[in-house]
Amino acid sequence: MSRLIFCLLFFPLYSFSQTYDLIPLTSGEHTSLRGMSVVSDQVAWVSGSNGHIGKTIDAGKTWQWIKPEGHEKLDFRDIEAFDADKAIVVNAGAPAYILQTTDGGKTWTERYKNVDSAIFLDGMGFWNDQRGIVFGDPINSKMQLLRTIDGGVSWNDISENLQAKMGLGEAAFAASGTTIKTLGNGKVWIATGGKVSNIYYSSNFGSTWQVFECPILQGESSTGPFSMDFYDDDHGVIVGGDYLKDKENENNVLLSSNGGKTWIKPAKPVDGYRSGVTYITDKTLVATGSSGTDVSSDGGRNWYNISVVSMNVIQKSKDGHLILLAGNKGQIYQLTITTK
C-alpha cells in the first residue's frame, strides 16, 4: 500500500516545535479494529470484528491476519499481547470468550466461556505477565469482574469484591477496550457511562474498591467515557462524548491530578467524540475517534486537531516509541512525532 501522506487528510501540524504525521500502513480487511496491544517497536497485535486478529513483527510494515478456528464470527474488542507468541483476546457480546495463544496465533485455547445472554465483556488489563483483570457490563446491578493470576490460563469471578451496585442505565463501552487501566502494583481504574458515569478504583488487584463520580457528558445510553489513560498514580485523562454526535465536543475530555478522585475540564478540548486516548509523555497526549485525532503538548490542557480520518483506537509501545492507530476496514496507521 502506498505510504504517501495525503496532504488534505494527513497534514503535519507544526505546534510546540513538534511535527505530527499519520502514515497509512495497511487496510482492506473486512473488520472494524478496536483492540490493540503494542508490545514493542517491532511487535504489535490488533483485534476486531468478524473474528479478525492481526499481528506485525516488523513495526507494521507487514501484517499477518488470523481467525481463531471456531470463533470466526466474534467481535474481538480487546487484546493483550506479551510478545510475538503469547496473546489473550476478549470478545464483546454473548456468549463471552477469553481465548489465548502461545504459538503466535496458530492455535487458540478457550480459557473462559459464559453463555449467559446478559454477559458483555468490555475490556482487559494486565499488571504483569501473570496477573490480569477483565470487566463487563452489570448483571443484576453488579459489574462483572474476572481475575487471573496464572497468565490467563484460568479466570476467577471476583464480582462480589465490588460491593457497590451500578446505577440504572449505567454500563460501559467496549469501543477500544480502554475504559480500563492497570498500573503499578495492583492499581486499576474502570470507567462507566451511559445514564451515569463513575470511576471504579482498586489499589490491590481488585480485592477492594472505591467509587468516584465522573463529571463527563452523560445521561443517555450513547454518552460517557470511551477511553482512559493514567500516566502515573495521580495524573489521568478520560475522553468520550456522544458517539451518535461525533463532531460535538461538549464536556468530552477531562483531566485528573489526584488518581481519578476529581476531574477538571481542559482550557481547549478535543474536536469531537473520542474513543481512544494515550499518554506519549507526561506532556504529550493523543486522542482519536470517528471524527478525527487531536494532540496536546501541555499535559492535556489544550488540544489541537491533526486529522479528520475516522479511527477507533490508539496505543503507544509498552517499551519503545511506536505509536499505532486503527479503525474500520482494517485500517492501521502509524503516528510519528518529530521534535524540531
Side-chain angles (χ1 to χ4, degrees), residues 95-126:
Y97 295 92
I98 300 176
L99 308 179
Q100 181 185 47
T101 183
T102 57
D103 58 9
K106 296 183 181 69
T107 61
W108 295 81
T109 303
E110 284 184 13
R111 298 303 190 186
Y112 173 85
K113 181 179 180 180
N114 189 327
V115 298
D116 190 323
S117 60
I119 193 72
F120 193 102
L121 299 180
D122 293 294
M124 168 175 53
F126 272 76

Side-chain angles (χ1 to χ4, degrees), residues 159-190:
S159 302
E160 292 303 317
N161 289 357
L162 178 54
Q163 298 299 312
K165 289 187 176 182
M166 296 177 69
L168 182 65
E170 179 185 2
F173 296 104
S176 62
T178 55
T179 47
I180 182 171
K181 174 67 179 184
T182 51
L183 197 65
N185 188 26
K187 296 178 177 63
V188 56
W189 294 262
I190 294 172

Side-chain angles (χ1 to χ4, degrees), residues 33 44-48 52-56 63-66 79 332:
L33 297 174
W45 297 66
V46 294
S47 64
H52 278 73
I53 295 171
K55 183 181 74 170
T56 182
W63 291 83
Q64 174 189 1
W65 292 100
I66 305 157
I79 190 166
I332 303 174

Side-chain angles (χ1 to χ4, degrees), residues 181 183 229-233 235-237 279-283:
K181 174 67 179 184
L183 197 65
D229 197 18
F230 274 82
Y231 182 76
D232 54 29
D233 292 354
H235 297 90
V237 60
Y279 280 91
I280 306 304
T281 68
D282 62 334
K283 297 297 184 184

Side-chain angles (χ1 to χ4, degrees), residues 114-274:
N114 189 327
V115 298
D116 190 323
S117 60
I119 193 72
F120 193 102
L121 299 180
D122 293 294
M124 168 175 53
F126 272 76
W127 293 280
N128 53 46
D129 62 356
Q130 294 299 304
R131 306 192 71 154
I133 187 169
V134 169
F135 87 103
D137 284 354
I139 297 178
N140 297 324
S141 301
K142 294 289 292 184
M143 181 187 291
Q144 299 304 292
L145 293 167
L146 304 168
R147 184 170 63 187
T148 182
I149 58 172
D150 57 13
V153 175
S154 62
W155 294 86
N156 297 314
D157 190 329
I158 61 165
S159 302
E160 292 303 317
N161 289 357
L162 178 54
Q163 298 299 312
K165 289 187 176 182
M166 296 177 69
L168 182 65
E170 179 185 2
F173 296 104
S176 62
T178 55
T179 47
I180 182 171
K181 174 67 179 184
T182 51
L183 197 65
N185 188 26
K187 296 178 177 63
V188 56
W189 294 262
I190 294 172
T192 62
K195 297 288 186 179
V196 180
S197 180
N198 286 303
I199 304 295
Y200 295 80
Y201 170 72
S202 173
S203 61
N204 51 15
F205 300 99
S207 294
T208 60
W209 296 83
Q210 295 175 270
V211 186
F212 311 127
E213 292 183 1
C214 180
I216 200 169
L217 181 69
Q218 57 196 270
E220 303 292 337
S221 61
S222 57
T223 60
F226 284 74
S227 183
M228 173 175 56
D229 197 18
F230 274 82
Y231 182 76
D232 54 29
D233 292 354
D234 296 319
H235 297 90
V237 60
I238 197 163
V239 299
D242 187 340
Y243 73 85
L244 296 179
K245 302 174 182 177
D246 68 351
K247 293 183 180 180
E248 294 187 4
N249 65 347
E250 177 190 355
N251 190 23
N252 66 336
V253 54
L254 297 172
L255 304 168
S256 178
S257 59
N258 58 7
K261 295 180 178 67
T262 60
W263 298 83
I264 62 171
K265 294 181 181 180
K268 184 179 186 302
V270 295
D271 267 14
Y273 156 79
R274 298 293 178 257

Side-chain angles (χ1 to χ4, degrees), residues 69-111:
E69 186 176 354
H71 304 86
E72 294 87 352
K73 295 183 179 180
L74 296 185
D75 188 357
F76 293 122
R77 293 293 183 92
D78 200 4
I79 190 166
E80 183 80 21
F82 304 90
D83 51 40
D85 294 318
K86 183 180 177 181
I88 297 170
V89 69
V90 176
N91 76 297
Y97 295 92
I98 300 176
L99 308 179
Q100 181 185 47
T101 183
T102 57
D103 58 9
K106 296 183 181 69
T107 61
W108 295 81
T109 303
E110 284 184 13
R111 298 303 190 186

